Amino acid sequence: MKTLLYTGDQKIVSKSGVGEAVRHQKRILELMQYEETEDYKMDYDAVHINTIFPGSLLMSRRAARQGKKVIYYAHSTMEDFRNSFTGANLIAPLFKKWITFCYNSGDIIITPTDYSKQLLESREYRICKPIYSLSNGIDTAFWKRDEEAGARFRKKYGICEDQKVAVSVGHYIDRKGILDFIEMAGQMPETEFYWFGYTNLNVVPAKIRRAVRTAPANVHFPGYVSREELKEAYCGSDVFLFLTKEETEGIVLLEALACEIPVVLRDIPIYKDWLWNGIDVYKGRDIEEFKQAAEGIFSGKARNLTAQGRKMAAERDYKKVAKKLKRIYQESGIEVQEYTLPAKEHPASGAALLQS
C-alpha cells in the first residue's frame, strides 16, 4: 500500500496545527508499515489531503480521475474559522460552502473529534461522504515530563525557580483566546505569561494588534519555536492556559497533557464529553474563573490532575491512532497491502509497535 501525503500547500500551513497534523500522519503511516510519498508524480494507491486551498481540490480531482482513493482530512469548520483573521466573520458562510465542496470531493472524510464530526454531519454542511472521527495523534514517547528540559526553559528566559509561569500556544487570533490571556496577565502581575506562536499582525483585527503591542510587561511573545523548545516550555511552566473559544481538537493541548503540566481551559462544547472539570483538567467560562483555577494550582490547593491528563493524552498516542486508521482504510474499501521498509531504515517501528 502506497499513500501520497499531499504537501502542495505545506509552506502556508507548516507552522500551524494543520502542518503539524501532516507531520503526524507521516509517522502514523510508518507505524502502519505503509509506504509513503510526497511526490504526486509517483504511483500511489491513496492520497491524504489536509488543506482546503484550490491546489488541494485540484489534487483531489486528479486523484479521483486516476482511480485513486482520496482521504480528505477535515481540520477546519466554519465555527473555528470565525474570529480568526481580518474579515473572517464576514466571509464565514462562503468559507463553509467552499470547505463542503472540498470535503465532498474525497471518498472519505476524517476529522479529529466526535464534536467536529457532529458539526460536519449537520444539515448545514450537506456533506454526502462517510465521515470518520480520528485524533491527529501525539507522540507520547517525545511529549513527556522532563525536569531537565524545564530547567533549560527557565535558564534561557532568566526565570527564577520560585517564579510562577503560565504558558499558551497558538496564532494571535481572538478565537485562540489571546485577548483573555493578555487581560488575565494584567490582573496577575506577579505571574509571567508566555505565548508561543506567531501571526503577522497585519492580517489580524486592530484590537488584536493593539493588545499585543500594548501588553503588560509580564507578557512575553517568543514567537514560533521548535518542538524541543516547546517541550521545554511545557515542562518548565506551572500552568498551561488553553483559552480557545472553538477547536476541532487542539494538538497543543494533547502535548501539554502528555507533558503533565496542569491545564486550565475554556469550558466549550468540544471538551464537554472528553475532558472533565476537576478530573482531567480545570475549566472556566471567564477570566475570573481562569484566574481562580490558576491561583489554586499555584498555591497547591487545587488537586493535581496531571497523571490523569497524561492518561487522556496516551489514549491518542500514535500507535493507537495507527491501528484505528488501518481499520478505517479497511472499512472504507481501501486496499490494504503492507509495505515493509528495510530494517536499517525503520528500526523498532511498524508492525512490532502496533502489536505492543
Side-chain angles (χ1 to χ4, degrees), residues 95-352:
F95 179 80
K96 182 185 70 174
K97 290 182 179 180
W98 171 253
I99 62 174
T100 298
F101 189 59
C102 289
Y103 296 160
N104 272 328
S105 71
D107 291 291
I108 64 170
I109 300 163
I110 294 178
T111 194
T113 56
D114 289 338
Y115 170 76
S116 54
K117 180 176 183 286
Q118 290 168 7
L119 287 178
L120 295 175
E121 286 178 335
S122 68
R123 290 183 180 180
E124 291 186 10
Y125 281 89
R126 298 183 180 180
I127 290 176
C128 58
K129 299 298 176 68
I131 304 175
Y132 294 87
S133 169
L134 180 69
S135 172
N136 287 305
I138 183 172
D139 181 3
T140 57
F142 175 81
W143 299 103
K144 61 183 178 181
R145 194 71 189 168
D146 185 333
E147 298 300 333
E148 292 183 359
R152 288 194 297 272
F153 165 73
R154 287 187 171 251
K155 181 179 180 180
K156 178 178 179 178
Y157 292 98
I159 304 169
C160 62
E161 188 175 344
D162 60 351
Q163 175 65 59
K164 299 304 179 184
V165 177
V167 64
S168 193
V169 185
H171 283 295
Y172 300 163
I173 56 178
D174 186 25
R175 177 176 66 83
K176 289 293 184 180
I178 191 168
L179 294 177
D180 284 351
F181 183 86
I182 293 172
E183 185 174 345
M184 186 174 169
Q187 296 181 22
M188 301 177 69
E190 72 287 353
T191 302
E192 297 299 315
F193 286 70
Y194 285 81
W195 184 285
F196 289 90
Y198 174 78
T199 306
N200 187 327
L201 290 177
N202 292 323
V203 302
V204 297
K207 63 180 180 179
I208 302 293
R209 293 197 298 271
R210 184 167 53 251
V212 171
R213 289 169 176 166
T214 63
N218 62 326
V219 181
H220 312 276
F221 299 99
Y224 181 84
V225 298
S226 68
R227 70 200 295 258
E228 288 77 14
E229 291 175 285
L230 192 54
K231 177 181 177 179
E232 291 172 356
Y234 291 140
C235 295
S237 299
D238 298 285
V239 65
F240 178 70
L241 299 176
F242 200 51
L243 310 184
T244 179
K245 300 175 181 178
E246 182 69 29
E247 287 293 324
T248 53
E249 182 173 43
I251 290 176
V252 295
L253 172 61
L254 297 182
E255 294 168 354
L257 289 170
C259 287
E260 297 183 67
I261 174 175
V263 171
V264 175
L265 55 78
R266 191 183 300 273
D267 190 0
I268 55 177
I270 184 174
Y271 303 122
K272 179 181 178 182
D273 298 320
W274 171 15
L275 298 171
W276 299 91
N277 186 33
I279 297 176
D280 310 301
V281 298
Y282 286 103
K283 295 181 180 181
R285 292 164 293 183
D286 53 35
I287 292 175
E288 188 57 37
E289 291 187 357
F290 301 148
K291 281 177 54 183
Q292 289 177 3
E295 289 168 348
I297 291 168
F298 293 156
S299 67
K301 294 179 180 178
R303 190 160 64 92
N304 190 326
L305 311 178
T306 56
Q308 181 61 26
R310 169 76 183 182
K311 289 180 181 178
M312 297 305 293
E315 287 299 313
R316 288 158 176 79
D317 182 79
Y318 279 172
K319 290 185 284 184
K320 293 187 178 182
V321 174
K323 290 179 181 179
K324 292 177 181 178
L325 181 57
K326 179 172 281 193
R327 286 200 296 269
I328 290 173
Y329 266 62
Q330 293 168 336
E331 290 174 10
S332 57
I334 299 174
E335 182 181 358
V336 176
Q337 180 180 351
E338 292 185 357
Y339 174 87
T340 305
L341 292 174
K344 64 179 181 179
E345 298 180 20
H346 202 67
S349 62

Side-chain angles (χ1 to χ4, degrees), residues 25-41:
Q25 287 167 38
K26 184 180 179 69
R27 177 60 177 144
I28 288 165
L29 288 168
E30 290 175 357
L31 287 170
M32 293 167 66
Q33 292 276 44
Y34 288 4
E35 184 180 9
E36 170 269 325
T37 181
E38 296 179 12
D39 185 356
Y40 68 88
K41 295 179 181 178

